[in-house]
Every structure is written in structure tokens, then in C-alpha cells.
Amino acid sequence: QVQLQESGPGLVKTSETLSLTCTVSGDSISSYYWSWIRQPPGKGLEWIGYIYSSGSTNYNPSLKSRVTISVDTSKNQFSLKLTSVTAADTAVYYCARDAYNTHFDFWGQGILVTVSS
Amino acid sequence: QSALTQPRSVSGSPGQSVTISCTGTSSNIGVYDYVSWYQQHPVKAPKLMIYDVTKRPSGVPDRFSGSKSGNTASLTISGLQAEDEADYYCCSFAGSYTMVFGGGTKLTVL
């Protein structure tokens, strides 16, 4: 069974960089696409972007200028960096397996990141 | 990249059927058969219920079904049960290797 686990700081200061890591177990990261998705408190889901094991990426156009997703196949992990954060970036951040870039079949439990000065 | 449009809420009694709509455009739902649906209970991660418009992952009851017509996709839940009460989100491939979600629908089982 595929399992994903997000990790990283739960509090980030305004204008700084949010950094999260997703550790994958039960499957090799060298298959499928892997995505980050976020959900502001009380609101809906927003796709942030994906990475393939080759390092190929694609991002939500609304966040593209601030987002970088990278992969470390040796550790079976992929990571998210979001720069110049504001309170609007406060959300639960999920990592998910992105099956053939068409749907998300396994999800992490999510991690709440609060942006505050 | 505009979000897909879903009703804010729907409701039904146990045993009844409910349908949740998800309206997109000719740039996403209208042109790709890559619509998926997710169930989210409070403080839980979303769970995949339907993918590729009509397919159910292993373990999802056949009470859940999906369909699509033009720019609108639908999730139908038949034989409503108390545990079906949750938020439901649709999602579609939107071209250029991007994905877009709906705003979510709260299902209340009366």
C-alpha cells in the first residue's frame, strides 16, 4: 500500500519561503507523477503542481512564479518550495500520487502551514 | 485557470439518490475524459471515488457512479448512507498538463 507523509515547519513568516517534503513508502517514486495540492482553512482544493521522477515539472499558472518542486529519488522524496509567502498561503498542504497526470489516487494526511508575521 | 463550478450544498435522506454537478468549459471537462471525484470527511485527506469520468477504484462501493455530458460532469450517489455525509470535489485535466478542482459540495444526509 502506497503511503505518503508530509513534513516541514508548521509556521512560516510573511515574505519568507515555505519548504515541505513528502516521503513516499510502499512504491518507488521512479514511477507516476507526484503532486502538491493545498486547501486554505474552510475552502476548496487547489492544485499546485507536479513532478515526474525524471525531474520534469509543471505548475499552476497562478503560482508558477513562486513555486519549485524537486525530487530526490535516492530518498524516495519530493519537495515543495513556495517563495514570498503571505497570509493567503496559509493552508493544509497535501502531497499525492498523480496517476498518469489525470487523477490523485493516494494522498498524504496533510500538514497545516500558517503564514504569520 | 478558473475553478470548476459545483453547487455549494446538496442533501438527501437515507436510501435516496443524490447527484452533484460539476460544470467546466470546453478547455477542460468538455474536451478531456479525465474527470475525477474526491470525498473528504472533516479533518481528513480527500479520497478518490471516481476517475476517468466513470471508473471506480477498488474498494469504492458501486453506489457511487460518474458521468459526463458536454462541459458538465456528475457524481451520483444512490442508496444514501449516513457515512456518505462529506464534502465532494470534482477535478479535471485542463490541458497543458495542468489540473483544476471544483469549489466543493457539502452533502448532508438528512
Side-chain angles (χ1 to χ4, degrees), chain B residues 1-25:
Chain B
Q1 191 185 45
S2 300
L4 308 175
T5 300
Q6 298 181 234
R8 292 289 295 268
S9 64
V10 298
S11 62
S13 300
Q16 288 186 332
S17 294
V18 295
T19 297
I20 300 172
S21 63
C22 171
T23 301
T25 70

Side-chain angles (χ1 to χ4, degrees), chain A residues 33 37 39 43-47 50 58-61 94 98 101-105 107-109, chain B residues 1 34 36 38 40 44-48 51-52 89 91 93 96-103:
Chain A
Y33 295 81
I37 295 155
Q39 184 172 35
K43 296 187 178 181
L45 300 167
E46 180 181 33
W47 176 74
Y50 78 74
N58 203 35
Y59 304 128
N60 186 321
Y94 295 99
D98 186 343
N101 199 216
T102 61
H103 59 276
F104 310 103
D105 54 358
W107 296 64
Q109 65 186 26
Chain B
Q1 191 185 45
Y34 295 132
S36 51
Y38 303 87
Q40 186 180 35
K44 293 288 189 182
K47 174 186 175 184
L48 177 66
Y51 68 99
D52 293 355
Y89 293 90
C91 181
F93 183 77
S96 302
Y97 298 99
T98 63
M99 304 288 278
V100 63
F101 283 96

Side-chain angles (χ1 to χ4, degrees), chain B residues 26 40 43 47 49 55 58 87 102:
Chain B
S26 56
Q40 186 180 35
V43 207
K47 174 186 175 184
M49 305 302 284
K55 298 176 182 176
S58 174
D87 293 327

Side-chain angles (χ1 to χ4, degrees), chain B residues 34-107:
Chain B
Y34 295 132
V35 177
S36 51
W37 290 90
Y38 303 87
Q39 177 191 65
Q40 186 180 35
H41 287 111
V43 207
K44 293 288 189 182
K47 174 186 175 184
L48 177 66
M49 305 302 284
I50 296 287
Y51 68 99
D52 293 355
V53 179
T54 61
K55 298 176 182 176
R56 274 180 293 105
S58 174
V60 172
D62 59 6
R63 303 185 294 104
F64 291 84
S65 62
S67 63
K68 187 186 91 166
S69 178
N71 294 340
T72 299
S74 299
L75 173 71
T76 298
I77 309 170
S78 58
L80 264 182
Q81 299 181 3
E83 59 261 36
D84 298 333
E85 184 163 295
D87 293 327
Y88 290 84
Y89 293 90
C90 61
C91 181
S92 176
F93 183 77
S96 302
Y97 298 99
T98 63
M99 304 288 278
V100 63
F101 283 96
T105 298
K106 180 177 180 58
L107 169 63

